[in-house]
Amino acid sequence: MPTDHIEAQIAFLAEADRLKSVLRASRLIDGSRHENSAEHSWHVMLYAFVLAEHAPEGVRVDRVLRMLLLHDIVEIDAGDAPIHGKVDHAAMAAKEAAAADRLFGLLPPSQAAEFRALWDEFEAAETPDARYAKAIDRLQTPIANLASGGGTWAEYSVTLEQMDARVGTPITRGAPTLWDWLRPQIAAFFARTDS
Amino acid sequence: MPTDHIEAQIAFLAEADRLKSVLRASRLIDGSRHENSAEHSWHVMLYAFVLAEHAPEGVRVDRVLRMLLLHDIVEIDAGDAPIHGKVDHAAMAAKEAAAADRLFGLLPPSQAAEFRALWDEFEAAETPDARYAKAIDRLQTPIANLASGGGTWAEYSVTLEQMDARVGTPITRGAPTLWDWLRPQIAAFFARTDS
């Protein structure tokens, strides 16, 4: 076994432990506390696997799981940018790229390049696998919000138009039948709470 | 789209949120709090993916990731049994089987059967994929303990002989080169703390 390989891999895996302390804007469905990005990553992988039959033809779910496994690791350095918060997207992208350099750079070089390529593919959201991964990443929070009486929507004064733009657009690009199913429920919820 | 399918799938995914509130005996590496089983599941999937080159010939890492994604969901009903705690293993196995019936039973029938078969394969630890998955599941906590000055080892008064039996045996069965690498570090740690 190449000992220098495993030492580098273990250093990366130990550093990854810190993703458990990155908090997201969203809460657990029971409202008890904010969700962290490590448990969120597990949950979106479960979503991607369970809902695979609703993915467009040609999506390879195993590649999607690998992307989602890695997709938030950059938040260890860059933090989480709430989808409904005010964010300077160019500054955030630069911070995340620097985080990817440092964090994936802990791995042996060939593995660092492989992980970086997967993460870049996810971020670019151009391949069917990356689009499905992005769609699933956007799907989890609205479903939790519907199950818990609104969640982050009230906190950030979100409108249905914002939901269509920020959530509907990426879900439609990656998993259109899931947005067809979800959108009427979100519209009904916003109609009730606006009245 | 079969609407009854997606309703059942979303019910399962919402119920799975509760795994984020199941606490394990182990702590985060920074010691700040106990680890929960959802973030643990993410972390062991990352271990399995990063360390794949150390898996025995023939292990299919994508199947391993699917097993690890599902492996702890039964803890929503059955709770976590600490590896160094006093556990009635037959009673725990019966509780976990009942939990698998209820939780996977939330899914559409064909998917429930597929998930149950994956979980049963993991539990039986007889195939190379399941043995590697079990080895990785055992590997994460000792590495965290080494990184954080002992962690659960002191709390449970663990001995090196217990580590060889409870941790060394399953890691040797599923990923022997990883135990060859880890065992001397654990032995050195116990030698220091015994003196």
Side-chain angles (χ1 to χ4, degrees):
Chain A
M1 178 194 313
T3 300
D4 57 334
H5 259 214
I6 195 168
E7 301 289 350
Q9 288 163 335
I10 296 292
F12 172 79
L13 289 165
E15 186 72 2
D17 204 65
R18 296 172 55 203
L19 195 61
K20 300 168 189 170
S21 300
V22 174
L23 295 185
R24 294 163 48 80
S26 51
R27 290 182 162 270
L28 303 194
I29 290 179
D30 69 10
S32 57
R33 60 170 172 81
H34 285 275
E35 188 185 33
N36 71 60
S37 292
E39 63 198 3
H40 157 78
S41 295
W42 166 77
H43 208 178
V44 292
M45 286 190 280
L46 192 64
Y47 267 79
F49 186 41
V50 167
L51 299 175
E53 68 181 281
H54 312 292
E57 192 85 23
V59 167
R60 288 163 294 178
V61 170
D62 287 322
R63 292 195 76 244
V64 171
L65 293 183
R66 290 168 179 224
M67 276 181 208
L68 290 172
L69 181 60
L70 303 180
H71 82 293
D72 271 347
I73 287 179
V74 293
E75 295 183 358
I76 290 171
D77 287 357
D80 178 58
I83 184 169
H84 299 299
K86 286 200 174 62
V87 174
D88 176 340
H89 291 284
M92 193 63 192
K95 255 172 104 169
E96 289 185 345
D101 285 345
R102 185 185 81 78
L103 290 158
F104 297 137
L106 295 170
L107 290 163
S110 65
Q111 199 165 34
E114 178 198 344
F115 282 32
R116 179 58 183 263
L118 258 179
W119 181 75
D120 284 341
E121 181 181 340
F122 172 80
E123 282 297 304
E126 282 163 10
T127 64
D129 292 347
R131 287 183 182 190
Y132 178 64
K134 282 268 179 191
I136 291 294
D137 190 33
R138 287 287 178 269
L139 193 70
Q140 182 221 351
T141 301
I143 288 175
N145 283 353
L146 285 171
S148 63
T152 46
W153 290 331
E155 222 167 305
Y156 288 85
S157 310
V158 178
T159 66
L160 185 58
E161 290 65 35
Q162 287 170 337
M163 287 298 293
D164 281 332
R166 296 174 191 172
V167 179
T169 303
I171 299 180
T172 300
R173 287 184 77 206
T177 60
L178 290 173
W179 185 245
D180 293 344
W181 169 81
L182 182 61
R183 211 265 177 195
Q185 300 178 54
I186 295 175
F189 180 90
F190 277 80
R192 275 200 306 280
T193 51
D194 278 355
S195 63
Chain B
M1 179 193 314
T3 301
D4 57 333
H5 259 214
I6 195 167
E7 301 289 350
Q9 288 162 335
I10 296 293
F12 171 80
L13 289 166
E15 185 74 3
D17 204 64
R18 296 172 57 204
L19 194 61
K20 300 167 189 169
S21 300
V22 175
L23 295 185
R24 296 163 45 82
S26 50
R27 291 182 162 269
L28 303 194
I29 291 178
D30 69 10
S32 56
R33 60 169 174 81
H34 284 275
E35 188 185 34
N36 72 61
S37 292
E39 63 198 3
H40 158 77
S41 295
W42 166 77
H43 209 176
V44 293
M45 291 175 75
L46 192 64
Y47 267 79
F49 185 41
V50 167
L51 299 175
E53 68 181 281
H54 312 291
E57 192 84 22
V59 167
R60 288 164 295 177
V61 169
D62 288 322
R63 293 195 75 245
V64 171
L65 293 183
R66 291 169 178 223
M67 279 182 205
L68 290 172
L69 181 60
L70 303 180
H71 83 293
D72 271 346
I73 286 179
V74 295
E75 294 183 359
I76 289 171
D77 287 357
D80 178 60
I83 185 169
H84 298 300
K86 285 201 174 62
V87 175
D88 176 340
H89 291 284
M92 194 63 193
K95 255 172 103 169
E96 289 186 345
D101 286 345
R102 184 184 82 78
L103 290 158
F104 296 137
L106 296 170
L107 290 163
S110 65
Q111 199 165 34
E114 179 198 344
F115 282 31
R116 179 60 182 262
L118 258 179
W119 182 74
D120 284 341
E121 181 181 339
F122 172 79
E123 282 297 302
E126 281 162 11
T127 63
D129 292 348
R131 286 183 182 189
Y132 178 63
K134 282 268 179 192
I136 291 295
D137 190 33
R138 287 287 178 270
L139 192 70
Q140 182 221 349
T141 302
I143 287 174
N145 283 353
L146 285 171
S148 63
T152 46
W153 289 331
E155 226 167 304
Y156 288 85
S157 309
V158 178
T159 65
L160 186 58
E161 289 65 36
Q162 288 170 336
M163 286 298 293
D164 281 331
R166 296 173 191 173
V167 179
T169 303
I171 298 181
T172 301
R173 286 184 76 206
T177 58
L178 290 173
W179 185 245
D180 292 344
W181 169 81
L182 183 61
R183 210 266 177 193
Q185 299 177 55
I186 296 176
F189 180 90
F190 277 79
R192 275 200 305 279
T193 52
D194 279 356
S195 63

